Amino acid sequence: MTTTESSPDLDRKLAYVVFRLSLGVNLLIHGAGRFFGAGVEGFSSRTASEFAATPLPAGLVHAFLFVLPFAEFIVGILITLGLFTRWALTLGGLLITALIFGTALRNDWPTVGIQMIYAITYYLLLLNRSDDGFSLDAFFRPARG
């Protein structure tokens, strides 16, 4: 940030970092909570039963649910730090797409609605990534001359 940076530019960068941090911490805690709650195996086994009436193969559901906490935790760390932000947001968006798919197969429309808010959040953060001035990506970005 330069001393000549206008207030609206600074406001956009501050708004972006607060929005990015909110999503990143949310995901990070989602993943960590599954580690320290019932454990990854407990979480995946308990949640897999909710998909019994769907056409998804049980083994695929269990494998996805086993990997999910790790993916949430890693993507959450990357988004929180603002590291590889473009790819972390893209991966997070694809992850929420997979969750929406499974939840829609269960006909759990209230949860799909909540997940759509996450999809919009990924969209907005990715769309406005040029406002990402407070991140590791910005720190390591070569200075423009």
Side-chain angles (χ1 to χ4, degrees), residues 86-105:
R86 169 186 284 147
W87 302 112
L89 290 171
T90 301
L91 182 58
L94 292 172
L95 192 61
I96 200 66
T97 301
L99 290 168
I100 289 168
F101 177 77
T103 306
L105 286 177

Side-chain angles (χ1 to χ4, degrees), residues 130-142:
S130 62
D131 291 329
D132 190 15
F134 301 105
S135 65
L136 288 178
D137 287 342
F139 180 78
F140 291 117
R141 187 178 310 132

Side-chain angles (χ1 to χ4, degrees), residues 7 10 13 18 23-24 29-32 40-41 44 49 69 73 88 112-113 121 124 137 141:
S7 182
L10 178 58
K13 288 179 180 181
V18 169
L23 178 63
I29 299 302
H30 251 96
V40 175
E41 183 60 41
S44 60
S49 66
F73 186 75
V112 169
T121 300
L124 290 172
D137 287 342
R141 187 178 310 132

Side-chain angles (χ1 to χ4, degrees), residues 30 33-52 61-62 65-66 68-69 106:
H30 251 96
R34 299 191 204 291
F35 297 135
F36 300 117
V40 175
E41 183 60 41
F43 160 75
S44 60
S45 295
R46 183 185 72 246
T47 308
S49 66
E50 297 174 16
F51 292 87
V61 170
H62 188 75
L65 292 170
F66 190 85
L68 180 62
R106 290 179 27 228

Side-chain angles (χ1 to χ4, degrees), residues 3-86:
T3 56
T4 61
E5 186 165 18
S6 71
S7 182
D9 288 341
L10 178 58
D11 291 346
R12 276 197 316 276
K13 288 179 180 181
L14 289 171
Y16 188 90
V17 73
V18 169
F19 199 33
R20 193 194 78 229
L21 285 172
S22 298
L23 178 63
V25 168
N26 180 305
L27 281 173
L28 195 152
I29 299 302
H30 251 96
R34 299 191 204 291
F35 297 135
F36 300 117
V40 175
E41 183 60 41
F43 160 75
S44 60
S45 295
R46 183 185 72 246
T47 308
S49 66
E50 297 174 16
F51 292 87
T54 70
L56 296 172
L60 180 65
V61 170
H62 188 75
F64 177 81
L65 292 170
F66 190 85
V67 171
L68 180 62
F70 298 99
E72 289 173 330
F73 186 75
I74 292 166
V75 170
I77 288 173
L78 292 174
I79 292 173
T80 299
L81 295 175
L83 184 62
F84 309 117
T85 306
R86 169 186 284 147

